[in-house]
Amino acid sequence: MATTIAVPRPTVRSSETPLPPHDGKRPWKVDVEHLSFFYGDKRALEDISITVQPNVVTAFIGPSGCGKSTFLRTLNRMNDIIPGARVDGKVCIDGQDIYGPGVDLVSVRRKVGMVFQKSNPFPKSIFENVAYGIRINRIASSRSELAGRVEESLKQAALWDEVKDRLQESALAMSGGQQQRLCIARALAVKPDILLMDEPASALDPIATQRIEELIYQLKANYTIVIVTHNMQQAARVSDFTAFFWLGRLVEYERTDKMFTAPSEKLEMGGLAEERVRAAVQSLGDRDIAAIDRVLRGDEPINELHVEIDNRCFKLLALHQPMATDLRAIVAAVKINTDLERVGDLAVNIAEAARRYATHPPVKKLIDIPQMGDIAQTMLHDALDSYVRRDTILAHQVLNEDDRLDGLKTQIFRELLGYMLDDPTTVEPALDLILISRHLERIGDHATNIAEDVIFMVSALDVRHHAPNPPV
Ligand SMILES: Nc1ncnc2c1ncn2[C@@H]1O[C@H](COP(=O)(O)OP(=O)(O)OP(=O)(O)O)[C@@H](O)[C@H]1O
Ligand SMILES: [Mg+2]
């Protein structure tokens, strides 16, 4: 079950991985190649390669001191003013290397605007704060054009209605959230293409933070935004892509939805696990040794994915100490991952029993085992579906299905016991069928675990020791 990714995926490049093909329509807005950065002798950034698409929000996350701000500042050469600072590598904006010869610094900074963690309005009027950049860049040719530009910028920064009647008052008399939006208006006034924001909401209260986040969402229609944040939930809320820095290196760059819960890998892994259960049960009925061997050999991709998903989740857990919803989502992802890997192992166990079973004459016509196989697969499928769609009703349905699987297993056991008592030559193959029914029941248990994790993740409700009835 492969998922398609709607947006072309930006890439982390190293010397081994080639540049992704440009599709002509969407050139990379920012294209960084092998960038290293030094404060004197100290290397703060190491061999960073990253591409950013236009009109998306990219979040930079990572522990304190990992180089997020340093990297952000390399994107508009803000580090140039630091004595002893040195850059290696390339930063191309719209194809032009901003560290190349003959580059006009003023036009780089105009094109790539910046908003800092602490709002830093000038001790001037609200109007003058926004007008400043327009004036020094000689963008407006008349007073009315200047006023129009100031108004437009304040509107874009969602501040106009609050300040339109007091434009001549001091900016320093505004609230913290308003001052930050004023700084955003000031950055927007010179019509940049790219807006860099270094923890723009970290000094603000939750309501002011929400306004800034809404603003970021609106601005991305016209701007390419890169935001540094310490808050994983904020990264998850506002960004399309997330880059994870650690000790001056870019260790992970992914679509934000994938970064936080890795649903597509999980689906891919779930698809592989489901397919293997289906193939194992089918090969049992068909007595098809070649098909059985394929199931036995095919465990590798599941194991690889398992390790990859785990690594990602543990990295997030270890380095970013997520809280509440994030934490529940990551813990659920790790547990689901383990469940899926076990399902893969159980499919192997089924195939091994099927191979032994095929060496004996059939004990009986197989009806209930394929039925158990169908139920187990459906449970697995629905459990993963409920995970991706955060659908707790479907998750509850999975919990209820488990009883059917248990009932069938008991029925199969009683029936096969009868065969074994009647005819001792059926003992070996009948035991294998009993084993297979147990494995299928275990697969159902893993689907149930996944469904319980989904319910916990979505509603923070632990249903593991309660009656599994859907909420009405
Ligand atoms: N002006 C400077 N001179 C020397 N070293 C610096 C300077 N600014 C930052 N550093 C060092 O570079 C490294 C990266 O710092 P940076 O500010 O980029 O980290 P950060 O990820 O933004 O951290 P935080 O989350 O705390 O803001 C740190 O080790 C820091 O001490
Ligand atoms: Mg910083």
Side-chain angles (χ1 to χ4, degrees):
M1 198 196 312
T3 47
T4 46
I5 294 171
V7 190
R9 189 176 140 181
T11 46
V12 179
R13 287 191 275 108
S14 70
S15 28
E16 296 86 48
T17 46
L19 245 174
H22 288 232
D23 62 8
K25 283 173 280 170
R26 307 190 73 176
W28 304 118
K29 196 76 196 165
V30 181
D31 189 350
V32 178
E33 273 181 70
H34 305 299
L35 183 109
S36 294
F37 186 88
F38 303 82
Y39 290 108
D41 294 338
K42 186 177 169 258
R43 176 148 68 177
L45 296 172
E46 194 179 335
D47 195 25
I48 291 177
S49 294
I50 190 171
T51 53
V52 175
Q53 294 167 46
N55 301 101
V56 299
V57 179
T58 304
F60 289 174
I61 62 171
S64 186
C66 66
K68 304 177 296 291
S69 299
T70 303
F71 184 54
L72 197 72
R73 290 194 301 258
T74 62
L75 302 182
N76 72 347
R77 294 188 53 172
M78 272 294 178
N79 289 319
D80 283 17
I81 44 175
I82 299 170
R86 184 165 67 81
V87 178
D88 265 357
K90 266 183 166 181
V91 175
C92 294
I93 309 279
D94 288 328
Q96 190 201 14
D97 182 3
I98 61 168
Y99 289 92
V103 168
D104 173 19
L105 249 187
V106 176
S107 68
V108 168
R109 302 242 172 92
R110 207 179 129 184
K111 193 164 184 169
V112 189
M114 190 149 187
V115 175
F116 299 89
Q117 176 172 8
K118 281 203 195 107
S119 55
N120 53 350
F122 307 133
K124 290 171 182 284
S125 70
I126 294 171
F127 184 91
E128 282 305 321
N129 262 276
V130 184
Y132 181 80
I134 307 172
R135 281 198 223 276
I136 59 163
N137 283 292
R138 298 206 175 84
I139 295 170
S141 55
S142 66
R143 274 180 162 274
S144 63
E145 197 186 336
L146 175 71
R149 196 89 178 235
V150 169
E151 177 176 338
E152 186 193 341
S153 307
L154 286 167
K155 279 182 175 158
Q156 279 189 314
L159 193 58
W160 176 249
D161 288 339
E162 288 162 64
V163 300
K164 62 175 185 252
D165 300 327
R166 51 178 179 128
L167 291 175
Q168 298 313 323
E169 285 178 22
S170 166
L172 302 180
M174 303 168 91
S175 75
Q178 286 173 329
Q179 287 190 8
Q180 193 59 308
R181 277 180 284 141
L182 181 69
C183 294
I184 294 173
R186 192 174 65 188
L188 297 178
V190 296
K191 296 225 183 267
D193 271 1
I194 300 171
L195 197 56
L196 309 175
M197 302 173 127
D198 196 348
E199 303 196 47
S202 66
L204 304 181
D205 64 40
I207 292 173
T209 299
Q210 196 186 342
R211 296 215 60 173
I212 299 280
E213 288 182 6
E214 282 163 8
L215 181 59
I216 291 171
Y217 189 79
Q218 287 159 14
L219 290 175
K220 88 170 172 183
N222 299 313
Y223 302 91
T224 301
I225 297 173
V226 183
I227 173 174
V228 170
T229 175
H230 257 119
N231 180 330
M232 286 226 310
Q233 295 196 35
Q234 183 168 70
R237 281 194 298 267
V238 304
S239 70
D240 303 290
F241 295 95
T242 301
F244 192 103
F245 289 82
W246 190 42
L247 297 176
R249 302 192 70 118
L250 175 61
V251 291
E252 186 104 28
Y253 183 29
E254 256 305 354
R255 282 178 57 103
T256 299
D257 51 1
K258 276 183 93 181
M259 174 79 107
F260 288 105
T261 51
S264 80
E265 266 105 339
K266 197 107 354 81
L267 272 184
E268 194 182 331
M269 185 153 165
L272 285 172
E274 242 178 271
E275 169 53 27
R276 285 163 57 65
V277 174
R278 194 204 56 74
V281 176
Q282 174 91 31
S283 68
L284 168 76
D286 296 348
R287 305 170 78 77
D288 178 346
I289 299 291
I292 291 172
D293 285 343
R294 274 199 298 280
V295 176
L296 292 175
R297 277 198 312 270
D299 216 21
E300 202 80 328
I302 293 198
N303 290 341
E304 277 169 18
L305 261 177
H306 176 237
V307 172
E308 189 188 323
I309 296 173
D310 258 8
N311 281 346
R312 172 172 312 165
C313 293
F314 285 133
K315 206 163 7 178
L316 285 171
L317 278 177
L319 300 179
H320 228 85
Q321 289 111 36
M323 304 294 285
T325 329
D326 289 337
L327 183 61
R328 289 206 304 276
I330 295 173
V331 170
V334 172
K335 288 167 71 189
I336 291 171
N337 200 24
T338 306
D339 280 309
L340 290 176
E341 200 229 359
R342 297 275 148 75
V343 169
D345 292 345
L346 287 163
V348 169
N349 295 349
I350 293 173
E352 280 168 351
R355 193 203 258 156
R356 286 193 301 272
Y357 184 75
T359 61
H360 297 276
V363 177
K364 63 182 226 86
K365 195 163 184 305
L366 295 176
I367 296 168
D368 22 27
I369 288 200
Q371 201 182 339
M372 277 189 86
D374 284 347
I375 297 172
Q377 268 176 74
T378 307
M379 285 174 71
L380 201 55
H381 186 95
D382 288 351
L384 286 165
D385 221 14
S386 74
Y387 169 70
V388 173
R389 293 200 263 131
R390 306 280 202 265
D391 181 345
T392 51
I393 305 274
L394 187 58
H396 275 285
Q397 276 170 24
V398 173
L399 301 192
N400 290 337
E401 277 294 280
D402 203 30
D403 291 344
R404 275 179 68 205
L405 216 47
D406 280 354
L408 274 168
K409 187 199 74 177
T410 313
Q411 184 183 316
I412 289 170
F413 179 74
R414 282 208 205 104
E415 192 188 356
L416 287 167
L417 200 59
Y419 281 100
M420 289 190 282
L421 291 175
D422 285 350
D423 176 2
T425 64
T426 63
V427 169
E428 264 185 54
L431 278 177
D432 275 325
L433 292 184
I434 289 171
L435 263 183
I436 289 171
S437 72
R438 290 234 172 104
H439 296 324
L440 288 170
E441 189 220 359
R442 291 288 303 140
I443 290 171
D445 288 344
H446 287 295
T448 304
N449 290 347
I450 295 173
E452 285 169 350
D453 286 333
V454 170
I455 295 166
F456 178 64
M457 177 179 74
V458 176
S459 57
L461 183 74
D462 192 339
V463 287
R464 280 170 299 185
H465 306 297
H466 299 97
N469 289 322
V472 201

